[in-house]
Amino acid sequence: MDAAAPRFAMVAGEASGDLLAGLLLGGLRARWPALVAQGIGGPKMAAQGFEAWWPHDKLAVRGYVEVLSHYRELVGIRNQLAERILAAKPDLFIGVDAPDFNLDLETRLKAAGIRTVHFVSPSIWAWRGKRIEKIRNAVDAVLCIFPFEPEIYAKQGIDAVYVGHPLADAIPLDVPRAASRAALAIGDETVVALLPGSRRSEIQYIAPRLFAAAAEMAALRPGLRFILPVVPGLRHLVEPLRKLHADRVKVELLDGRSHEALAACDVTLVASGTATLEAALFKRPMVIAYAMHALSWQMMKRMKYQPWVGLPNILLRDFAVPELIQGDATPERLAHAALAWLDDPQRCAALEKRFHALHLELRRDTARAATDAIEKILAR
């Protein structure tokens, strides 16, 4: 290994993985300015000098039925990627989230003698706990973003390090509310942010419900302003759904800018996933929604270990914010749950205090902590 210019292979799927990997790459490049990083990634990683052999949105698929329809393509990409990585012989492979894709890839690479790290522990504490055996065979170490995770791995003899959550470093403790509202040209209006997710399947199943909920809220509470940050490349999917489900409601589609939208809003309707943690770090009251193909939901529901699905609730171990999943995620219920936040400032203030404490717990200078852990692995 060239100590001054290590070579890393990396895979991050979808927008949230690209965001996390981009923040990690910032720390790695601060330690090794000449490092080479290649694999599958998105624009946040590219901004840190990453060379993408395939775009990250190729992996943006969730749900058993949805994955099956893309199975051949995904396996083909993984096999080609493995051959390319094995030929390149990097010093380390870093799989960022996307466990269904990365763990099989990591197993193959590790068996061939390439050191492997998985950044962001799969949710073995929430569902599919038997996956820990697969993790044991796949990785040299897990970089955990939640404080309770390393103990789970330690009991199984797997090297794991808590590095904090990079979003807790990236998002300021004091929410830049006034600046964000000014940047979005928001005056004294009450603002509802709609975040239907970054995957195509999420747009298909969740966006119609959020648009219909916006129409319901507008009918009940005229004068509300709605904003929806659109992931780059998905506007052509979102716009027709807006016209179909909320044609008479003004929903402003933003090009990205999700953090500004969360900082500026008064409440958010948000798809379960990383965006719920972002909303918590921006101390926003929220209603968590999720929906998927019915067969995928039945299969996933049988493997759940906890009563919560949203990250804020899982971390707080409480239904701190409402969760409306699958059949419960009706426009009417979503609308009424969001309006309930707007009508209860004391409840919002109490939630803000809990989210502030959570923010402090997750803030650990993740890029540096992860880089320190990676440096130790490279020195073995």
Side-chain angles (χ1 to χ4, degrees):
M1 183 188 95
D2 182 346
R7 298 177 61 86
F8 297 139
M10 298 180 69
V11 169
E14 68 198 74
S16 60
D18 176 48
L19 174 61
L20 296 174
L23 294 169
L24 173 60
L25 271 170
L28 294 172
R29 195 165 292 284
R31 184 72 51 90
W32 298 291
L35 74 83
V36 175
Q38 302 164 313
I40 296 179
K44 301 291 187 184
M45 298 167 72
Q48 295 291 340
F50 182 81
E51 180 187 347
W53 295 335
W54 283 271
H56 72 306
D57 56 10
K58 285 290 187 182
L59 310 187
V61 183
R62 172 176 282 188
Y64 293 100
V65 174
E66 295 84 353
V67 168
L68 284 173
S69 66
H70 293 82
Y71 180 77
R72 181 172 294 181
E73 180 185 16
L74 291 170
V75 171
I77 291 173
R78 187 165 59 203
N79 288 338
Q80 293 176 63
L81 177 63
E83 293 297 331
R84 195 161 179 178
I85 292 173
L86 290 170
K89 294 183 172 61
D91 299 298
L92 184 73
F93 173 82
I94 305 172
V96 181
D97 211 358
D100 290 316
F101 185 94
N102 276 327
L103 289 176
D104 284 333
L105 175 61
E106 288 159 356
T107 299
R108 181 173 175 183
L109 297 178
K110 185 181 180 184
I114 292 176
R115 288 170 289 193
T116 59
V117 167
H118 197 86
F119 178 44
V120 182
S121 167
S123 302
I124 53 174
W125 32 265
W127 69 304
R128 294 176 69 179
K130 293 181 180 178
R131 187 186 259 179
I132 199 164
E133 294 301 324
K134 191 171 193 176
I135 296 169
R136 185 197 310 281
N137 295 324
V139 305
D140 291 287
V142 181
L143 304 182
C144 301
I145 60 175
F146 299 129
F148 58 84
E149 293 174 324
E151 183 180 357
I152 298 172
Y153 287 103
K155 290 178 179 178
Q156 300 296 323
I158 299 172
D159 187 15
V161 181
Y162 174 52
V163 297
H165 202 297
L167 287 172
D169 298 317
I171 294 172
L173 280 172
D174 296 321
V175 179
R177 181 170 172 79
S180 296
R181 288 175 76 91
L184 295 173
I186 296 170
D188 59 0
E189 306 106 312
T190 299
V191 176
V192 181
L194 309 176
L195 280 80
S198 61
R199 302 178 181 91
R200 291 171 182 266
S201 60
E202 290 173 330
I203 298 300
Q204 175 186 354
Y205 286 103
I206 301 171
R209 299 169 190 249
L210 299 196
F211 280 128
E216 180 77 11
M217 292 179 73
L220 294 170
R221 194 77 53 92
L224 293 176
R225 179 169 173 178
F226 299 90
I227 55 178
L228 190 155
V230 181
V231 173
L234 295 184
R235 181 178 279 264
H236 71 287
L237 299 178
V238 174
E239 181 62 38
L241 295 174
R242 185 198 65 78
K243 291 182 179 179
L244 181 62
H245 297 282
D247 190 40
R248 296 185 179 181
V249 181
K250 183 180 179 182
V251 180
E252 182 182 357
L253 301 184
L254 308 174
D255 292 321
R257 307 181 75 175
S258 62
H259 282 191
E260 284 181 311
L262 285 171
C265 75
D266 294 282
V267 67
T268 178
L269 296 172
V270 56
S272 179
T274 301
T276 64
L277 182 61
E278 292 175 288
L281 294 173
F282 279 105
K283 290 78 175 181
R284 293 296 86 205
M286 73 188 82
V287 180
I288 296 174
Y290 210 80
M292 59 178 65
H293 190 284
L295 180 57
S296 293
W297 170 242
Q298 289 301 320
M299 295 174 72
M300 184 172 288
K301 185 170 65 171
R302 286 198 295 269
M303 290 185 282
K304 276 183 61 182
Y305 300 153
Q306 302 190 53
W308 316 284
V309 299
L311 283 171
N313 289 343
I314 288 170
L315 290 166
L316 295 173
R317 305 196 64 78
D318 180 26
F319 281 105
V321 299
E323 296 180 355
L324 297 173
I325 310 300
Q326 206 66 7
D328 290 332
T330 65
E332 294 77 16
R333 293 191 68 178
L334 290 166
H336 284 281
L339 290 173
W341 282 116
L342 297 179
D343 292 335
D344 197 341
Q346 288 186 334
R347 181 179 171 218
C348 293
L351 182 70
E352 183 175 351
K353 289 181 180 179
R354 298 186 74 181
F355 283 164
H356 184 84
L358 178 63
H359 197 156
L360 290 172
E361 185 177 18
L362 297 177
R363 180 172 270 212
R364 290 292 183 274
D365 194 352
T366 299
R368 187 173 70 177
T371 300
D372 288 344
I374 288 169
E375 187 171 38
K376 290 178 181 177
I377 294 167
L378 293 174
R380 290 176 184 172

